[in-house]
Amino acid sequence: MKVTSINVGKPQVLIVDGKELITGIMKFPSDAPLFLSSIQLEGDGQADLAVHGGVDKALCVYCQEHYSHWEQVLGEKLEYGAFGENVTVLGLLESDVCIGDRYELGAALVEVTQPRQPCFKLAKRYGRVDLPLMVQKTGFTGFYFRVIREGIIPVQPDVRLVSRHPGGVTVQLANQLKYHDVRNIEGIKRILAVEELSASWRASFSKRLIELEEANV
C-alpha cells in the first residue's frame, strides 16, 4: 500500500458548452502537509454539499492502477487528482478494500464508508457524456473515507491497515449490489449489517430492500 499523491482544490467555474459550471472536481497535488478535519482536508472544497463532502465523504480515494485504462479511453495523459480524488493510492483496490476497514493515514485515522459515485461533472470535465456510466460498469470507482481521528497528512503519508472489518463487504461487492445485482435481497441485508456504511447508501439500500420484500409478498 502506498499513497502516491495528496490532492486538493477549491470549487471553480468551468465553461462547458458555453455555460458556467461550478465544480470542486479540479484537484491538484499538494506540496505541503495539510490538516485533515472531520469533514475535509485543509485547502479542499466541494461545490455541491448535498452530494459531496461531509463526515461520510471527507476524503475521496482513487486507485492509481486504473489510470492507464482511462488514459487509453480518453486518449490523454492524466495527472494525479484527475478523478477529483483527494488521495491517489497504490495497492488499495476496490476488490480488496472493505466497508468499515480502518487505516492510519499520516497522523489521522480513517474508515471506508462507501464507493465513490461518479457524477455528471466527471463527464463535463472530460467531454465524455458516457464516462460516469463507464466508471460504474468497470467498477473502477474509488471510495470514500470518514475521519475517526483528525491529524496532519504529509505530502506522501504512510498508510497502514489498522483493522479489517469482519463483514468482508468489499467496495467491489457494494458496487455490484448498487448497480448490477440490484435484486439480491441477501446481499442487501449483508451490506446493511455493516454499521459503518454511509448514511446515504444505507438509506438507498434500505428503501430498495423494502420494495423488494413487498414485491415478494
Side-chain angles (χ1 to χ4, degrees):
M1 295 181 292
K2 178 183 178 182
V3 173
T4 50
S5 184
I6 297 294
N7 317 296
V8 293
K10 294 289 189 179
Q12 57 182 275
V13 177
L14 300 182
I15 304 299
V16 181
D17 300 327
K19 298 180 180 179
E20 291 188 351
L21 175 68
I22 301 175
T23 176
I25 200 171
M26 308 298 289
K27 309 294 185 190
F28 303 96
S30 171
D31 59 1
L34 301 171
F35 179 72
L36 176 62
S37 74
S38 61
I39 58 171
Q40 68 182 25
L41 196 57
E42 178 185 355
D44 198 42
Q46 299 81 33
D48 187 353
L49 295 177
V51 293
H52 298 293
V55 293
D56 283 345
K57 294 179 282 188
L59 282 179
C60 182
V61 184
Y62 203 71
C63 306
Q64 185 182 335
E65 289 93 333
H66 303 329
Y67 267 59
S68 59
H69 171 80
W70 297 120
E71 286 175 343
Q72 290 183 354
V73 169
L74 297 172
E76 63 179 277
K77 177 67 175 176
L78 299 175
E79 303 299 328
Y80 296 141
F83 289 85
E85 78 271 17
N86 300 115
V87 186
T88 313
V89 294
L90 275 170
L92 287 174
L93 292 169
E94 293 89 348
S95 56
D96 301 321
V97 173
C98 295
I99 308 298
D101 285 356
R102 289 188 173 188
Y103 295 86
E104 281 189 340
L105 182 65
L109 179 65
V110 294
E111 181 178 79
V112 181
T113 60
Q114 67 165 77
R116 183 260 187 92
Q117 287 181 269
C119 75
F120 76 98
K121 291 182 179 179
L122 191 61
K124 295 294 186 182
R125 178 176 183 178
Y126 292 103
R128 289 288 301 264
V129 67
D130 57 343
L131 188 55
L133 184 58
M134 291 172 68
V135 171
Q136 286 184 14
K137 287 182 175 180
T138 59
F140 298 165
T141 60
F143 50 92
Y144 285 106
F145 282 142
R146 72 164 55 91
V147 178
I148 305 300
R149 182 182 70 230
E150 298 178 338
I152 296 294
I153 308 297
V155 175
Q156 288 190 314
D158 292 330
V159 58
R160 182 180 71 86
L161 178 65
V162 174
S163 62
R164 177 76 72 184
H165 195 277
V169 177
T170 64
V171 172
Q172 181 182 65
L173 175 59
N175 278 324
Q176 182 69 20
L177 293 170
K178 180 75 170 179
Y179 303 117
H180 308 292
D181 194 9
V182 297
R183 301 185 63 82
N184 186 336
I185 290 177
E186 293 308 311
I188 293 172
K189 288 181 178 179
R190 181 180 172 189
I191 194 171
L192 287 174
V194 179
E195 293 182 0
E196 293 80 1
L197 182 68
S198 70
S200 61
W201 275 52
R202 178 169 300 282
S204 176
F205 276 118
S206 295
K207 181 175 182 292
R208 187 188 299 175
L209 179 60
I210 291 171
E211 293 171 348
L212 290 172
E213 289 182 332
E214 288 179 346
N216 288 334
V217 171

